[in-house]
Amino acid sequence: MLSKFNGTVQFDGIRTTTSTDEEGNEIHVVIGRTGELRIMDVENDRLLVTNNIPYGSILKVKNNQKIAKGDVICTWDPFNAVIVAELDGAVDFENVIEGVTFREEADEQTGYKEKVVIETKDKTKIPSILVEGKELKTYNLPVGAHIAVSKGDKVKSGQVLVKIPRVMGRARDITGGLPR
């Protein structure tokens, strides 16, 4: 997301956790779903724009930072919604049962196998990832979620646990909507 104005950044309800990227740089990953970012013209005390910051995005600005038009505010994966760990800890699974709540699928390009959550007939079995650190955090998994961690893995706060592919607009046959 790029800034459309020159101004000063103000956060409203943005919850983040600190993590590191592949190069070892410190990053701030958004873990709240309702946070907003405002760009203000402080000299004239005017609100220029308000933006919702997507869950799982990486913030590139700090609160009260001056930014210019075209500066990067945040980045995120446009193809996948994600679930990120909110704390450091060890991964455990609950009701993640092969053939019942998930199946293994191989990626055609990479050959890498991953667990994909499937719809189960047993509605009492809700697949979840547990991260046990200073406290226990539970993340319920929606149908279609691709699990990116394994049981026993050590995860850091801000690390992606699950990727949920965003549905792209599908071309539909024109005859599907016509009356008989």
Side-chain angles (χ1 to χ4, degrees):
M1 176 185 301
L2 300 177
S3 172
K4 292 185 175 75
F5 300 95
N6 296 329
T8 303
V9 172
Q10 290 183 349
F11 292 170
D12 181 14
I14 294 180
R15 290 184 23 229
T16 63
T17 186
T18 305
S19 188
T20 53
D21 61 10
E22 292 84 35
E23 290 88 43
N25 301 320
E26 185 176 283
I27 57 172
H28 298 281
V29 181
V30 177
I31 58 171
R33 296 189 185 274
T34 58
E36 288 185 338
L37 176 137
R38 296 199 250 306
I39 300 177
M40 301 289 293
D41 178 358
V42 176
E43 289 82 42
N44 299 321
D45 196 31
R46 233 177 62 206
L47 173 66
L48 298 172
V49 69
T50 301
N51 291 316
N52 285 333
I53 302 299
Y55 171 86
S57 62
I58 298 168
L59 272 177
K60 301 289 187 179
V61 295
K62 293 181 174 32
N63 200 13
N64 297 320
Q65 175 182 332
K66 288 194 181 306
I67 60 171
K69 183 176 180 179
D71 285 356
V72 176
I73 294 171
C74 64
T75 59
W76 65 89
D77 184 346
F79 303 109
N80 296 295
V82 295
I83 298 175
V84 297
E86 293 183 29
L87 51 103
D88 296 357
V91 172
D92 196 7
F93 292 144
E94 183 175 77
N95 294 321
V96 177
I97 306 158
E98 187 160 11
V100 179
T101 59
F102 85 91
R103 70 171 176 261
E104 285 215 340
E105 287 185 3
D107 187 331
E108 292 97 36
Q109 277 100 16
T110 63
Y112 177 72
K113 287 187 177 177
E114 56 188 0
K115 295 177 181 75
V116 179
V117 177
I118 58 174
E119 196 154 352
T120 178
K121 292 174 182 62
D122 185 353
K123 297 300 178 200
T124 63
K125 302 229 181 308
I126 299 169
S128 307
I129 290 179
L130 310 173
V131 176
E132 192 158 1
K134 286 180 256 177
E135 57 187 90
L136 179 67
K137 192 76 181 158
T138 304
Y139 304 92
N140 291 343
L141 304 176
V143 172
H146 295 246
I147 302 170
V149 292
S150 298
K151 186 174 184 162
D153 284 359
K154 299 277 186 242
V155 293
K156 297 267 184 225
S157 68
Q159 182 176 338
V160 173
L161 301 173
V162 175
K163 290 186 176 188
I164 307 154
R166 297 186 198 272
V167 178
M168 296 297 162
R170 294 196 177 111
R172 293 180 53 181
D173 189 345
I174 190 166
T175 57
L178 295 176
R180 294 181 187 261

